[in-house]
Amino acid sequence: MRYAAIVFFGFYLILNSILTYGQADPMARSIKERFNMYGNTALQEKMYVHLDRSFYLIGETIWFKAYNLDGAHNRFLDMSKVAYLEVLDKDNNAVIQTKFSLSAGKGNGSVSIPSAIASGNYKVRGYTSWMKNFGPEYYFETDISIVNPFVRFDPAPDAERELSYDVQFFPEGGYLVKNMESKVAFRATAPDGKGISFRGVVIDQRNDTLVRFQPSRFGIGNFMLKPESTDSLRVVITDSRGRQFNYALPKVMQRGYVMHVSDAGTGQVKVTVNRAGFEEPGDAYILAHTKQLNPLSDKLVFEGNKAEFNINRADLGEGISHLTILNEKLKPVCERLYFKRPEKMLTLDAKVGKADFTTREKVTLDLSAGQASNLSVSVFLSDSIKGLPQEDIASYFLLTSDLQGQVEDPSYYFRNVSSQTDQDLDNVMISHGWRRFKWENVFGASVPKYEFLPEYDGHLVFGKVLNTSDNKSASGIGAYLAPLDFPAKLYTSSSDNNGNILFELKHYIGPKEITLQTNHLIDSTYKFELTSPFSKQFSQTSVSPFFFDKTREKELLTRSINMQTGNSFVPRAFVEKKAVLTDSLAFFGLPDEKYFLDDYTRFPTMEEVLREYVRGVMVRRRNKSFHFRMIDKVIPNTFYRTDPLVLLDGIPIFNIDKFMEIDPLKIKKVELMSSRYYLGMLQFTGIVSFSTYKNDLAGFELDPKVLVIPYDGVQAEREFYAPKYDNQAAMSGRMPDFRNLMHWSPNVTTDENGKAQIQFFTSDQIGNYKVVVQGISNNGVAGSSTTSFNVGKRSL
């Protein structure tokens, strides 16, 4: 008995040393510190976009709500104030683009589908400027269907496409190594992105069968393989129709590392690493982290060519964790993902009180989330024209936002959790694994530089100043950007050594014309190029094939008629997007002097107007040219020696001689700033601002060197049209109401107990309506809910 106790105690000491062997290792500590430093500079944004539905006709409107979160904590992130939404065709050509505002991580908007769009499936993607630094795979993407019923279209354009399957193989950890057994995950999909059913065999060069296998779910599964040589191996699969296809397995390495991860029980995750082919193997290290948070780093101790490491599951965060094996040069030699299920999901409940309603009847929707949450609600006709499935917010943030490629029916992995779904989910971890960073950025000698800046306070406009003669970049040139807008807004920049300029457009809303110029009296030989803010990078995810059921042409005709009727009778107030005027002051604030010229005797020339009663500015003529000199209010009776900034309706005017020719009867007011004014990198000895009656320059011709172009700001707010039938007159009104999108509420905030209630009225369109609720709590827990009800004809 005593001997057994001694043996047990000795075993405990050995085990404890294995579990704590690397905690004091300097390299392991350095890896953790450097990874933390990188994580502090590489803040992750994740965006989910809730669309009102997934099937549209041209002429209809896409309504959307964006949830922008800190990717590490799943909390609303109040960093970016501008986001971008695009609709792309199968060739990644943008057919719709828009910018919209974000506030405290939330934003919503709408886009109308133009009539020139052809019938087909399209990709909707959403992102911020900061997200462009980490690649298009990081953007939110989902597919929608758009039909143009006014142009004859092929209901199945991809039906004749040659059949081909996308079959890929993923050794656990990344590599196959000679004489070492590995788990190999596989994924086989059809052209529509859906998994296929098949039987497969692994065959060597002697045509001997090494392994037989078949998928578990959605064309995904795994098999064990121990290659005995470095000879190439191939796979033959036989699909459900008996057709055979050949594929190559990844190359078998002569030497390398093999990794295997399993649940060891008692709350432990066991990581086993084997290596082979090294005459003098160096040290190796393990790094584990969840969404770049709480990294765990340790040195691996090999016994022979095998090392085991246990990780406490409690030390890993919820969702996807990365497990990486690094060699002594800090190069990754194995990597794989591990999923830890969340302890709880947001339990959303949506109830409408009854199953059947009549037309133009009030519907009360009670929402319950169990905790304070922000929600978005869509209620639409669930007719026989089915749209594409849309991923819910919970499975997106927990799973697919950290995976590469498409995941079929991601919500499956969170329904009816069992050992089988756990195994299927682990296969997804191996077959979709990737990371959002490069190791050279983590362990590099300097902090990584990011090309795209976050838009903290407004939309950033990038451009370049070029010499007109040779198109070379020009540095140190002052640039002025001003929209034709009220109140006056002016943005300035100075080109850097590469000719780059940057303007931050605060409160720039809706489509406008902008002017872009240098001070052409000084810098008259330059031109501008503006850079599109929309991403030029595209993910490898293809748009799903388009198919329309020909037997649904009658329903399509009905929906088309309803769409045209609805667009004809929607009140104009709900059609136009309105910018809310938050401030009527010009960019320079309260002026020191203000003159409304109608309060004074009118004079025939601007020179007389300024000389007679605009006290703060002196008009001088030198070398037959006009100059303005302003009194310095800081030093009494002192004039500045240079011209102030002269504005006409917010547009800089540098040719004062030409301005003095304007008819003063067109000028409504004059405002003066009588002190030195700093705007960005530029400074001015005062400001003289002239305003016309309609803020449209009143026919004044700008210098030909001024670039005038249309430029869209963030979209203005637009209200969803939902008529109210709360009295008998409205109930019996003759105005048709054929809304198939019955209700859209993008920003529903619950109380502290998670309760909220919204009310709306049914339309004249009968049928079954689907209610979809997406949302996330203030604590970062996401969830969704669906319900439905019927609408029948109202008895007269």
Side-chain angles (χ1 to χ4, degrees), residues 44 63 78 124 131 140 143 146 201 230 273 341 358-359 380 403 421 504-505 519 552 602 649 659 674 686 795:
Q44 298 181 62
W63 299 86
D78 191 19
V124 176
M131 290 168 64
F140 171 84
D143 288 353
I146 298 176
V201 294
T230 58
V273 181
R341 290 191 178 276
T358 59
T359 56
F380 57 93
L403 297 177
T421 54
E504 184 178 45
L505 306 190
N519 183 344
R552 303 303 179 188
R602 287 292 197 169
D649 290 333
F659 172 76
S674 303
S795 57

PDB file of all heavy atoms in Angstrom, residues 44 63 78 124 131 140 143 146 201 230 273 341 358-359 380 403 421 504-505 519 552 602 649 659 674 686 795:
ATOM      1  N   GLN A  44     -10.614  43.816 -34.029  1.00  0.00           N
ATOM      2  CA  GLN A  44     -11.481  43.178 -35.004  1.00  0.00           C
ATOM      3  C   GLN A  44     -12.873  43.802 -34.974  1.00  0.00           C
ATOM      4  O   GLN A  44     -13.469  43.945 -33.922  1.00  0.00           O
ATOM      5  CB  GLN A  44     -11.633  41.688 -34.705  1.00  0.00           C
ATOM      6  CG  GLN A  44     -10.360  40.888 -34.762  1.00  0.00           C
ATOM      7  CD  GLN A  44     -10.649  39.434 -34.462  1.00  0.00           C
ATOM      8  OE1 GLN A  44     -11.382  38.762 -35.171  1.00  0.00           O
ATOM      9  NE2 GLN A  44     -10.089  38.945 -33.378  1.00  0.00           N
ATOM     10  N   TRP A  63     -34.435  46.724 -47.413  1.00  0.00           N
ATOM     11  CA  TRP A  63     -34.245  47.360 -46.108  1.00  0.00           C
ATOM     12  C   TRP A  63     -33.254  46.523 -45.316  1.00  0.00           C
ATOM     13  O   TRP A  63     -33.297  45.288 -45.356  1.00  0.00           O
ATOM     14  CB  TRP A  63     -35.566  47.465 -45.361  1.00  0.00           C
ATOM     15  CG  TRP A  63     -36.601  48.297 -46.060  1.00  0.00           C
ATOM     16  CD1 TRP A  63     -37.473  47.870 -47.021  1.00  0.00           C
ATOM     17  CD2 TRP A  63     -36.863  49.684 -45.864  1.00  0.00           C
ATOM     18  NE1 TRP A  63     -38.267  48.903 -47.442  1.00  0.00           N
ATOM     19  CE2 TRP A  63     -37.913  50.036 -46.747  1.00  0.00           C
ATOM     20  CE3 TRP A  63     -36.324  50.652 -45.031  1.00  0.00           C
ATOM     21  CZ2 TRP A  63     -38.430  51.328 -46.813  1.00  0.00           C
ATOM     22  CZ3 TRP A  63     -36.835  51.948 -45.093  1.00  0.00           C
ATOM     23  CH2 TRP A  63     -37.879  52.271 -45.968  1.00  0.00           C
ATOM     24  N   ASP A  78     -18.397  51.108 -30.868  1.00  0.00           N
ATOM     25  CA  ASP A  78     -18.619  52.476 -31.323  1.00  0.00           C
ATOM     26  C   ASP A  78     -17.310  53.057 -31.848  1.00  0.00           C
ATOM     27  O   ASP A  78     -16.751  53.998 -31.275  1.00  0.00           O
ATOM     28  CB  ASP A  78     -19.166  53.320 -30.177  1.00  0.00           C
ATOM     29  CG  ASP A  78     -19.679  54.676 -30.649  1.00  0.00           C
ATOM     30  OD1 ASP A  78     -19.943  54.806 -31.855  1.00  0.00           O
ATOM     31  OD2 ASP A  78     -19.803  55.590 -29.822  1.00  0.00           O
ATOM     32  N   VAL A 124     -24.921  40.214 -51.473  1.00  0.00           N
ATOM     33  CA  VAL A 124     -24.944  41.435 -50.675  1.00  0.00           C
ATOM     34  C   VAL A 124     -23.792  41.350 -49.679  1.00  0.00           C
ATOM     35  O   VAL A 124     -23.633  40.342 -48.985  1.00  0.00           O
ATOM     36  CB  VAL A 124     -26.273  41.590 -49.919  1.00  0.00           C
ATOM     37  CG1 VAL A 124     -26.242  42.828 -49.022  1.00  0.00           C
ATOM     38  CG2 VAL A 124     -27.435  41.686 -50.899  1.00  0.00           C
ATOM     39  N   MET A 131     -12.298  47.273 -41.760  1.00  0.00           N
ATOM     40  CA  MET A 131     -12.343  45.853 -42.113  1.00  0.00           C
ATOM     41  C   MET A 131     -11.599  45.560 -43.407  1.00  0.00           C
ATOM     42  O   MET A 131     -11.176  44.423 -43.636  1.00  0.00           O
ATOM     43  CB  MET A 131     -13.802  45.385 -42.214  1.00  0.00           C
ATOM     44  CG  MET A 131     -14.518  45.316 -40.871  1.00  0.00           C
ATOM     45  SD  MET A 131     -16.314  45.107 -41.015  1.00  0.00           S
ATOM     46  CE  MET A 131     -16.400  43.503 -41.793  1.00  0.00           C
ATOM     47  N   PHE A 140     -19.204  40.767 -44.208  1.00  0.00           N
ATOM     48  CA  PHE A 140     -20.456  40.008 -44.177  1.00  0.00           C
ATOM     49  C   PHE A 140     -20.933  39.800 -45.608  1.00  0.00           C
ATOM     50  O   PHE A 140     -20.922  40.729 -46.418  1.00  0.00           O
ATOM     51  CB  PHE A 140     -21.530  40.766 -43.392  1.00  0.00           C
ATOM     52  CG  PHE A 140     -22.891  40.128 -43.507  1.00  0.00           C
ATOM     53  CD1 PHE A 140     -23.233  39.073 -42.677  1.00  0.00           C
ATOM     54  CD2 PHE A 140     -23.795  40.549 -44.463  1.00  0.00           C
ATOM     55  CE1 PHE A 140     -24.476  38.454 -42.798  1.00  0.00           C
ATOM     56  CE2 PHE A 140     -25.041  39.952 -44.590  1.00  0.00           C
ATOM     57  CZ  PHE A 140     -25.375  38.899 -43.751  1.00  0.00           C
ATOM     58  N   ASP A 143     -26.495  35.858 -49.984  1.00  0.00           N
ATOM     59  CA  ASP A 143     -27.052  35.860 -51.339  1.00  0.00           C
ATOM     60  C   ASP A 143     -28.527  36.241 -51.315  1.00  0.00           C
ATOM     61  O   ASP A 143     -29.267  35.899 -50.377  1.00  0.00           O
ATOM     62  CB  ASP A 143     -26.910  34.483 -51.992  1.00  0.00           C
ATOM     63  CG  ASP A 143     -25.471  34.164 -52.367  1.00  0.00           C
ATOM     64  OD1 ASP A 143     -24.618  35.056 -52.245  1.00  0.00           O
ATOM     65  OD2 ASP A 143     -25.203  33.017 -52.770  1.00  0.00           O
ATOM     66  N   ILE A 146     -33.024  38.362 -57.280  1.00  0.00           N
ATOM     67  CA  ILE A 146     -33.733  39.506 -57.853  1.00  0.00           C
ATOM     68  C   ILE A 146     -34.302  39.070 -59.203  1.00  0.00           C
ATOM     69  O   ILE A 146     -33.593  38.478 -60.017  1.00  0.00           O
ATOM     70  CB  ILE A 146     -32.799  40.717 -58.041  1.00  0.00           C
ATOM     71  CG1 ILE A 146     -32.242  41.180 -56.689  1.00  0.00           C
ATOM     72  CG2 ILE A 146     -33.537  41.868 -58.723  1.00  0.00           C
ATOM     73  CD1 ILE A 146     -31.239  42.322 -56.797  1.00  0.00           C
ATOM     74  N   VAL A 201     -12.855   6.416 -51.918  1.00  0.00           N
ATOM     75  CA  VAL A 201     -11.754   5.521 -51.570  1.00  0.00           C
ATOM     76  C   VAL A 201     -10.435   6.252 -51.816  1.00  0.00           C
ATOM     77  O   VAL A 201     -10.326   7.078 -52.726  1.00  0.00           O
ATOM     78  CB  VAL A 201     -11.779   4.208 -52.390  1.00  0.00           C
ATOM     79  CG1 VAL A 201     -12.991   3.373 -52.036  1.00  0.00           C
ATOM     80  CG2 VAL A 201     -11.738   4.496 -53.891  1.00  0.00           C
ATOM     81  N   THR A 230       6.118   8.623 -49.497  1.00  0.00           N
ATOM     82  CA  THR A 230       5.806   9.974 -49.966  1.00  0.00           C
ATOM     83  C   THR A 230       5.181   9.965 -51.358  1.00  0.00           C
ATOM     84  O   THR A 230       5.014  11.023 -51.971  1.00  0.00           O
ATOM     85  CB  THR A 230       7.070  10.838 -49.982  1.00  0.00           C
ATOM     86  OG1 THR A 230       8.052  10.224 -50.828  1.00  0.00           O
ATOM     87  CG2 THR A 230       7.631  11.013 -48.576  1.00  0.00           C
ATOM     88  N   VAL A 273       1.013  16.142 -30.404  1.00  0.00           N
ATOM     89  CA  VAL A 273       1.865  16.549 -31.530  1.00  0.00           C
ATOM     90  C   VAL A 273       2.925  15.476 -31.742  1.00  0.00           C
ATOM     91  O   VAL A 273       3.644  15.098 -30.802  1.00  0.00           O
ATOM     92  CB  VAL A 273       2.545  17.908 -31.262  1.00  0.00           C
ATOM     93  CG1 VAL A 273       3.407  18.317 -32.454  1.00  0.00           C
ATOM     94  CG2 VAL A 273       1.491  18.971 -30.984  1.00  0.00           C
ATOM     95  N   ARG A 341     -18.652  25.341 -27.208  1.00  0.00           N
ATOM     96  CA  ARG A 341     -20.039  25.778 -27.275  1.00  0.00           C
ATOM     97  C   ARG A 341     -20.319  26.849 -26.217  1.00  0.00           C
ATOM     98  O   ARG A 341     -19.796  26.794 -25.111  1.00  0.00           O
ATOM     99  CB  ARG A 341     -20.984  24.603 -27.076  1.00  0.00           C
ATOM    100  CG  ARG A 341     -20.982  23.621 -28.245  1.00  0.00           C
ATOM    101  CD  ARG A 341     -22.124  22.628 -28.137  1.00  0.00           C
ATOM    102  NE  ARG A 341     -22.144  21.722 -29.289  1.00  0.00           N
ATOM    103  CZ  ARG A 341     -22.716  22.014 -30.450  1.00  0.00           C
ATOM    104  NH1 ARG A 341     -23.323  23.189 -30.601  1.00  0.00           N
ATOM    105  NH2 ARG A 341     -22.697  21.149 -31.438  1.00  0.00           N
ATOM    106  N   THR A 358     -57.407  39.427 -40.247  1.00  0.00           N
ATOM    107  CA  THR A 358     -58.046  39.850 -41.485  1.00  0.00           C
ATOM    108  C   THR A 358     -57.299  41.071 -42.026  1.00  0.00           C
ATOM    109  O   THR A 358     -56.447  41.656 -41.349  1.00  0.00           O
ATOM    110  CB  THR A 358     -59.518  40.214 -41.242  1.00  0.00           C
ATOM    111  OG1 THR A 358     -59.596  41.272 -40.274  1.00  0.00           O
ATOM    112  CG2 THR A 358     -60.295  39.003 -40.739  1.00  0.00           C
ATOM    113  N   THR A 359     -57.634  41.466 -43.240  1.00  0.00           N
ATOM    114  CA  THR A 359     -56.956  42.611 -43.848  1.00  0.00           C
ATOM    115  C   THR A 359     -57.242  43.884 -43.056  1.00  0.00           C
ATOM    116  O   THR A 359     -58.324  44.079 -42.500  1.00  0.00           O
ATOM    117  CB  THR A 359     -57.425  42.795 -45.300  1.00  0.00           C
ATOM    118  OG1 THR A 359     -58.854  42.918 -45.318  1.00  0.00           O
ATOM    119  CG2 THR A 359     -57.029  41.593 -46.151  1.00  0.00           C
ATOM    120  N   PHE A 380     -42.944  39.654 -43.478  1.00  0.00           N
ATOM    121  CA  PHE A 380     -43.121  39.631 -44.928  1.00  0.00           C
ATOM    122  C   PHE A 380     -43.951  38.437 -45.357  1.00  0.00           C
ATOM    123  O   PHE A 380     -44.096  37.447 -44.627  1.00  0.00           O
ATOM    124  CB  PHE A 380     -41.762  39.599 -45.640  1.00  0.00           C
ATOM    125  CG  PHE A 380     -40.880  38.441 -45.259  1.00  0.00           C
ATOM    126  CD1 PHE A 380     -40.898  37.264 -45.994  1.00  0.00           C
ATOM    127  CD2 PHE A 380     -40.028  38.533 -44.166  1.00  0.00           C
ATOM    128  CE1 PHE A 380     -40.086  36.191 -45.647  1.00  0.00           C
ATOM    129  CE2 PHE A 380     -39.214  37.464 -43.811  1.00  0.00           C
ATOM    130  CZ  PHE A 380     -39.247  36.299 -44.557  1.00  0.00           C
ATOM    131  N   LEU A 403     -14.850  31.653 -40.133  1.00  0.00           N
ATOM    132  CA  LEU A 403     -14.510  30.533 -41.011  1.00  0.00           C
ATOM    133  C   LEU A 403     -14.431  31.010 -42.443  1.00  0.00           C
ATOM    134  O   LEU A 403     -15.081  31.981 -42.836  1.00  0.00           O
ATOM    135  CB  LEU A 403     -15.549  29.415 -40.899  1.00  0.00           C
ATOM    136  CG  LEU A 403     -15.685  28.742 -39.536  1.00  0.00           C
ATOM    137  CD1 LEU A 403     -16.795  27.704 -39.571  1.00  0.00           C
ATOM    138  CD2 LEU A 403     -14.373  28.098 -39.116  1.00  0.00           C
ATOM    139  N   THR A 421     -23.636  15.950 -33.581  1.00  0.00           N
ATOM    140  CA  THR A 421     -23.446  17.330 -34.038  1.00  0.00           C
ATOM    141  C   THR A 421     -22.102  17.872 -33.575  1.00  0.00           C
ATOM    142  O   THR A 421     -21.486  18.686 -34.268  1.00  0.00           O
ATOM    143  CB  THR A 421     -24.588  18.237 -33.537  1.00  0.00           C
ATOM    144  OG1 THR A 421     -24.706  18.109 -32.111  1.00  0.00           O
ATOM    145  CG2 THR A 421     -25.903  17.860 -34.188  1.00  0.00           C
ATOM    146  N   GLU A 504     -11.869  64.464 -44.125  1.00  0.00           N
ATOM    147  CA  GLU A 504     -12.851  63.817 -43.255  1.00  0.00           C
ATOM    148  C   GLU A 504     -14.152  64.604 -43.338  1.00  0.00           C
ATOM    149  O   GLU A 504     -14.248  65.721 -42.837  1.00  0.00           O
ATOM    150  CB  GLU A 504     -12.356  63.759 -41.810  1.00  0.00           C
ATOM    151  CG  GLU A 504     -13.315  62.998 -40.898  1.00  0.00           C
ATOM    152  CD  GLU A 504     -12.814  62.903 -39.466  1.00  0.00           C
ATOM    153  OE1 GLU A 504     -12.353  63.942 -38.936  1.00  0.00           O
ATOM    154  OE2 GLU A 504     -12.863  61.809 -38.884  1.00  0.00           O
ATOM    155  N   LEU A 505     -15.166  63.997 -43.988  1.00  0.00           N
ATOM    156  CA  LEU A 505     -16.429  64.686 -44.222  1.00  0.00           C
ATOM    157  C   LEU A 505     -17.400  64.390 -43.078  1.00  0.00           C
ATOM    158  O   LEU A 505     -18.043  63.334 -43.058  1.00  0.00           O
ATOM    159  CB  LEU A 505     -17.049  64.248 -45.555  1.00  0.00           C
ATOM    160  CG  LEU A 505     -16.166  64.359 -46.803  1.00  0.00           C
ATOM    161  CD1 LEU A 505     -16.995  64.131 -48.055  1.00  0.00           C
ATOM    162  CD2 LEU A 505     -15.465  65.706 -46.873  1.00  0.00           C
ATOM    163  N   ASN A 519      -5.473  76.477 -54.496  1.00  0.00           N
ATOM    164  CA  ASN A 519      -5.458  77.933 -54.681  1.00  0.00           C
ATOM    165  C   ASN A 519      -4.785  78.191 -56.022  1.00  0.00           C
ATOM    166  O   ASN A 519      -3.557  78.246 -56.125  1.00  0.00           O
ATOM    167  CB  ASN A 519      -4.694  78.604 -53.541  1.00  0.00           C
ATOM    168  CG  ASN A 519      -4.722  80.124 -53.652  1.00  0.00           C
ATOM    169  OD1 ASN A 519      -5.041  80.691 -54.694  1.00  0.00           O
ATOM    170  ND2 ASN A 519      -4.366  80.788 -52.552  1.00  0.00           N
ATOM    171  N   ARG A 552     -44.573  29.154 -61.030  1.00  0.00           N
ATOM    172  CA  ARG A 552     -44.940  30.261 -60.149  1.00  0.00           C
ATOM    173  C   ARG A 552     -45.086  31.575 -60.905  1.00  0.00           C
ATOM    174  O   ARG A 552     -45.000  32.645 -60.325  1.00  0.00           O
ATOM    175  CB  ARG A 552     -43.888  30.425 -59.047  1.00  0.00           C
ATOM    176  CG  ARG A 552     -43.659  29.185 -58.216  1.00  0.00           C
ATOM    177  CD  ARG A 552     -44.941  28.703 -57.567  1.00  0.00           C
ATOM    178  NE  ARG A 552     -44.756  27.498 -56.773  1.00  0.00           N
ATOM    179  CZ  ARG A 552     -45.739  26.796 -56.242  1.00  0.00           C
ATOM    180  NH1 ARG A 552     -46.999  27.170 -56.441  1.00  0.00           N
ATOM    181  NH2 ARG A 552     -45.493  25.718 -55.537  1.00  0.00           N
ATOM    182  N   ARG A 602     -29.053  99.505 -50.676  1.00  0.00           N
ATOM    183  CA  ARG A 602     -28.382  98.690 -51.682  1.00  0.00           C
ATOM    184  C   ARG A 602     -27.510  99.568 -52.576  1.00  0.00           C
ATOM    185  O   ARG A 602     -27.924 100.657 -53.004  1.00  0.00           O
ATOM    186  CB  ARG A 602     -29.402  97.940 -52.538  1.00  0.00           C
ATOM    187  CG  ARG A 602     -30.072  96.784 -51.820  1.00  0.00           C
ATOM    188  CD  ARG A 602     -29.083  95.677 -51.554  1.00  0.00           C
ATOM    189  NE  ARG A 602     -29.728  94.407 -51.237  1.00  0.00           N
ATOM    190  CZ  ARG A 602     -29.106  93.251 -51.164  1.00  0.00           C
ATOM    191  NH1 ARG A 602     -27.792  93.204 -51.370  1.00  0.00           N
ATOM    192  NH2 ARG A 602     -29.748  92.152 -50.872  1.00  0.00           N
ATOM    193  N   ASP A 649     -21.165  80.948 -50.805  1.00  0.00           N
ATOM    194  CA  ASP A 649     -21.978  79.766 -50.509  1.00  0.00           C
ATOM    195  C   ASP A 649     -21.100  78.586 -50.097  1.00  0.00           C
ATOM    196  O   ASP A 649     -21.340  77.438 -50.468  1.00  0.00           O
ATOM    197  CB  ASP A 649     -22.851  79.383 -51.706  1.00  0.00           C
ATOM    198  CG  ASP A 649     -23.971  80.386 -51.947  1.00  0.00           C
ATOM    199  OD1 ASP A 649     -24.386  81.038 -50.969  1.00  0.00           O
ATOM    200  OD2 ASP A 649     -24.412  80.531 -53.098  1.00  0.00           O
ATOM    201  N   PHE A 659     -14.781  87.999 -58.376  1.00  0.00           N
ATOM    202  CA  PHE A 659     -15.897  88.024 -57.429  1.00  0.00           C
ATOM    203  C   PHE A 659     -16.483  89.422 -57.315  1.00  0.00           C
ATOM    204  O   PHE A 659     -17.703  89.591 -57.165  1.00  0.00           O
ATOM    205  CB  PHE A 659     -15.431  87.545 -56.047  1.00  0.00           C
ATOM    206  CG  PHE A 659     -16.474  87.718 -54.991  1.00  0.00           C
ATOM    207  CD1 PHE A 659     -17.561  86.854 -54.910  1.00  0.00           C
ATOM    208  CD2 PHE A 659     -16.398  88.770 -54.095  1.00  0.00           C
ATOM    209  CE1 PHE A 659     -18.539  87.035 -53.949  1.00  0.00           C
ATOM    210  CE2 PHE A 659     -17.372  88.961 -53.131  1.00  0.00           C
ATOM    211  CZ  PHE A 659     -18.453  88.081 -53.053  1.00  0.00           C
ATOM    212  N   SER A 674     -12.976  87.531 -37.737  1.00  0.00           N
ATOM    213  CA  SER A 674     -11.917  88.542 -37.712  1.00  0.00           C
ATOM    214  C   SER A 674     -10.710  88.112 -36.898  1.00  0.00           C
ATOM    215  O   SER A 674     -10.127  88.906 -36.164  1.00  0.00           O
ATOM    216  CB  SER A 674     -12.478  89.859 -37.164  1.00  0.00           C
ATOM    217  OG  SER A 674     -13.573  90.283 -37.924  1.00  0.00           O
ATOM    218  N   GLY A 686      -8.355  85.278 -41.313  1.00  0.00           N
ATOM    219  CA  GLY A 686      -9.754  85.672 -41.284  1.00  0.00           C
ATOM    220  C   GLY A 686     -10.556  85.009 -42.391  1.00  0.00           C
ATOM    221  O   GLY A 686     -10.008  84.369 -43.305  1.00  0.00           O
ATOM    222  N   SER A 795     -64.457  40.468 -43.740  1.00  0.00           N
ATOM    223  CA  SER A 795     -65.864  40.423 -44.126  1.00  0.00           C
ATOM    224  C   SER A 795     -66.444  41.826 -44.093  1.00  0.00           C
ATOM    225  O   SER A 795     -66.161  42.622 -43.183  1.00  0.00           O
ATOM    226  CB  SER A 795     -66.644  39.527 -43.172  1.00  0.00           C
ATOM    227  OG  SER A 795     -66.509  39.971 -41.840  1.00  0.00           O
TER     228      SER A 795
END
